[in-house]
Amino acid sequence: CESDEQAVQVQGVSGNFCSPKCSGSSCPSDVPDGVTAKPQCALRSPTGDSSCALLCTPSSWRGNGANGECGTGTCQAIQGIGLCTYAAADGEAAVATKFLLPSSVPALPALKLETNPTHYGDPAGGCESDEQAVQVQGVSGNFCSPKCSGSSCPSDVPDGVTAKPQCALRSPTGDSSCALLCTPSSWRGNGANGECGTGTCQAIQGIGLCTYAAADGEAAVATKFLLPSSVPALPALKLETNPTHYGDPAGGCESDEQAIQVQGVSGNFCSPKCSG
């Protein structure tokens, strides 16, 4: 911690963080890279000292806050607000100074535990009101899926996703539902162009579907869907190998390379011969 800080742990919240004392009701404004949470004079020690913390908006689908405001930390909910904390290493929590969160600390405006803000998200974070968690026969994992409107699908997708929604699924009762179609790749788990974002692009019947790893019990409650044979394969769809030299042999080497291992070094890599 900085020279004017101490490691603190808030009662009722796991983890800890570095905290400076309040100056009146003000707090130092410098925060770690990637953090957008605002410092507030929010804590009290058992002896009455006031200390600062980063307040955030908890989210059930994003661990570091609804807007990622805790950076590499975790946004933990307590008494209607959220605190940015870090996982305590062995023994750290024991030496951290214990603080309380007074009832006088106001909740953040419009604070709520959020679910997925778009369609096609991870069911672990909750699906939209017009979606259900589905699992496609022959593919592991699941995803949130809205029903088709005719042959159309909602176009909003999670952050980082570029896969296109298509009316591609059928339930055993004949209902049509939407999915994100992708290009499977043997060297990139989330699609040849990373189009599934934080999901996985799984190959089935000549196409790929963006899915998420199902938590314990989730797959059992997901509605089972089928991929009809009428769904066309994506244009120029193929299982791709490494697109450059020096890649991971697990994804296949280029035609002028071979997988090599150097004596005294673990692991391997694709290597072309020298020219000259």
Side-chain angles (χ1 to χ4, degrees):
C1 295
E2 295 288 286
S3 59
D4 61 341
E5 293 182 304
Q6 58 182 328
V8 307
Q9 183 178 30
V10 176
Q11 187 173 317
V13 172
S14 63
N16 57 5
F17 54 94
C18 294
S19 173
K21 287 187 176 181
C22 304
S23 175
S25 60
S26 299
C27 292
S29 60
D30 57 312
V31 295
D33 287 345
V35 169
T36 57
K38 302 302 181 186
Q40 292 193 36
C41 185
L43 307 179
R44 299 291 182 273
S45 74
T47 59
D49 291 332
S50 300
S51 197
C52 302
L54 293 175
L55 269 57
C56 55
T57 301
S59 168
S60 58
W61 66 275
R62 195 170 188 178
N64 62 346
N67 300 299
E69 61 266 36
C70 289
T72 59
T74 300
C75 181
Q76 297 201 47
I78 179 174
Q79 295 178 203
I81 68 169
L83 294 175
C84 294
T85 70
Y86 300 91
D90 290 343
E92 278 187 348
V95 300
T97 302
K98 303 299 188 288
F99 273 71
L100 306 172
L101 188 71
S103 58
S104 59
V105 175
L108 298 181
L111 179 68
K112 62 183 188 296
L113 291 175
E114 301 194 355
T115 56
N116 288 312
T118 68
H119 292 92
Y120 314 106
D122 184 347
C127 296
E128 295 286 283
S129 59
D130 60 343
E131 292 183 303
Q132 59 182 327
V134 308
Q135 183 179 30
V136 177
Q137 187 172 317
V139 173
S140 62
N142 57 5
F143 54 95
C144 294
S145 174
K147 286 187 176 181
C148 304
S149 177
S151 60
S152 299
C153 292
S155 60
D156 60 309
V157 296
D159 285 345
V161 169
T162 57
K164 302 302 182 186
Q166 292 194 36
C167 185
L169 307 178
R170 299 291 183 275
S171 75
T173 58
D175 290 331
S176 299
S177 196
C178 303
L180 294 175
L181 269 58
C182 54
T183 301
S185 169
S186 57
W187 67 275
R188 194 170 187 178
N190 62 345
N193 300 298
E195 61 266 36
C196 290
T198 58
T200 300
C201 181
Q202 297 202 48
I204 178 175
Q205 295 177 204
I207 68 169
L209 294 175
C210 294
T211 71
Y212 299 91
D216 290 342
E218 278 188 349
V221 300
T223 302
K224 303 299 187 288
F225 273 71
L226 305 172
L227 188 72
S229 57
S230 58
V231 175
L234 297 180
L237 179 68
K238 62 182 186 297
L239 291 175
E240 301 196 355
T241 57
N242 289 312
T244 66
H245 292 91
Y246 313 106
D248 183 349
C253 296
E254 296 288 286
S255 59
D256 60 343
E257 291 183 304
Q258 58 182 329
I260 69 169
Q261 184 177 28
V262 177
Q263 187 172 323
V265 174
S266 62
N268 58 2
F269 56 95
C270 296
S271 174
K273 288 186 176 181
C274 301
S275 177

